[in-house]
Amino acid sequence: MEPGIRWLITPDQIATRVRELGAAITADYAGKPLLVICVLKGSFIFAADLVRAIDLPLGVEFLGTQSYGDGQKSTGVVRITLDLARPISDCDVLIVEDIVDTGLTLTYLVDQLTRRGPKSVKVCALLHKPARSVEPVAIDYLGFTIDDVFVVGYGLDWAQRYRGLPGIGVVEQA
Ligand code: IMP
């Protein structure tokens, strides 16, 4: 554990929840192929664990977005920094997000991907901070609801730091 960080969600709690989410997704798609879209950068660790908990024929694509600078406040502007490498028409798509904060990123992504004509679009998010919601957004599979605190670890950063922590932590001395 790094100094100044306290665990909010431990690695064991995450592992248990990821297994549950994987089982629910596996059951819902009932053997149908699924295209998992990992939203970079924050979702890369969550998506890597989640795909190993899903028992379906899977494709994986990566989509880069940026909605924050290097601080803890949203700029409110979402831009795609890396686009998908293939069309998604005729695919069942599952967007995998690290955290839904204001909801602006996810609203933008669902809208953009829906325009590309997939069979369906669903969302799996590890974390949700409802207190900060600006755009209400449907989350089909949710790991944990958390309070309005800035969290790091398990892929999530603060100014590009802490992504490698194995659990979700709160920075106590900012
Ligand atoms: P939203 O558009 O405000 O919902 O924010 C989405 C993105 O902001 C997430 O995918 C994260 O990359 C980043 N973000 C929001 N809250 C946090 C946090 O507490 N820690 C780290 N990144 C965050």
Side-chain angles (χ1 to χ4, degrees):
M1 171 60 80
E2 297 224 10
I5 303 280
R6 93 180 139 78
W7 284 145
L8 189 64
I9 306 170
T10 66
D12 282 351
Q13 288 171 318
I14 294 175
T16 300
R17 193 71 191 112
V18 168
R19 276 196 299 276
E20 291 169 356
L21 291 171
I25 292 164
T26 302
D28 287 355
Y29 287 88
K32 283 192 290 179
L34 181 64
L35 182 64
V36 170
I37 297 186
C38 169
V39 182
L40 298 173
K41 297 177 188 175
S43 305
F44 76 110
I45 294 178
F46 176 42
D49 284 345
L50 185 68
V51 293
R52 285 177 283 182
I54 299 174
D55 185 11
L56 293 169
L58 286 184
V60 180
E61 286 291 329
F62 298 93
L63 187 64
T65 62
Q66 203 170 36
S67 59
Y68 277 44
D70 278 345
Q72 298 187 354
K73 288 264 153 54
S74 172
T75 60
V77 177
V78 182
R79 67 189 180 96
I80 291 184
T81 54
L82 174 76
D83 207 344
L84 303 177
R86 51 165 287 188
I88 56 170
S89 52
D90 299 326
C91 292
D92 286 305
V93 164
L94 183 68
I95 301 174
V96 176
E97 256 289 26
D98 51 358
I99 183 165
V100 180
D101 185 30
T102 61
L104 291 169
T105 304
L106 201 51
T107 302
Y108 178 79
L109 286 184
V110 169
D111 179 60
Q112 290 294 311
L113 295 180
T114 301
R115 287 164 192 261
R116 300 183 190 189
K119 273 194 211 154
S120 67
V121 178
K122 283 192 177 183
V123 171
C124 178
L126 180 66
L127 304 170
H128 184 210
K129 275 189 223 175
R132 295 199 15 106
S133 176
V134 172
E135 286 278 352
V137 53
I139 304 171
D140 302 281
Y141 305 98
L142 175 62
F144 303 92
T145 299
I146 62 169
D147 291 337
D148 183 9
V149 285
F150 196 83
V151 290
V152 294
Y154 199 66
L156 288 148
D157 75 306
W158 177 38
Q160 303 303 323
R161 284 185 64 193
Y162 306 116
R163 289 194 198 275
L165 295 179
I168 301 289
V170 177
V171 184
E172 290 195 304
Q173 297 145 14

